[in-house]
Amino acid sequence: MDSPESREWERLAFVANRDGMAAALIFARQGIAQYEAAIRESDSGGNQYGAAYRESLLTSIRVYREHLQKQETPA
């Protein structure tokens, strides 16, 4: 069974394989910004997409941040 985390890692790998690592980094940064905005908006009483999918969005944000950290940290 796929976990939410593994699905996000698969999405990042798909983008990296299709478009390159630079595109995967952009994808992760944009995802973080969009998902954090959705959560903030729902917290302030606006659009409730962020409330309905909060746990999923937070999982995605964690994976994306980990991906960025792994790519930006020299080996």
Side-chain angles (χ1 to χ4, degrees):
M1 175 190 255
D2 286 334
S3 70
E5 291 88 0
S6 67
R7 284 192 298 271
E8 287 304 330
W9 285 112
E10 289 170 8
R11 288 176 70 192
L12 288 166
F14 174 80
V15 173
N17 288 330
R18 185 189 65 192
D19 302 324
M21 185 53 67
L25 295 174
I26 291 168
F27 178 85
R29 287 185 193 106
Q30 288 176 340
I32 290 169
Q34 291 170 342
Y35 296 166
E36 286 179 338
I39 291 168
R40 276 193 309 274
E41 188 173 340
S42 69
D43 288 347
S44 67
N47 186 323
Q48 292 302 297
Y49 174 84
Y53 296 99
R54 182 181 198 88
E55 290 308 312
S56 176
L57 297 174
L58 289 171
T59 297
S60 297
I61 290 168
R62 281 191 299 272
V63 169
Y64 294 167
R65 284 189 175 146
E66 185 177 341
H67 176 70
L68 291 171
Q69 184 178 19
K70 284 181 178 180
Q71 298 305 314
E72 294 171 352
T73 303

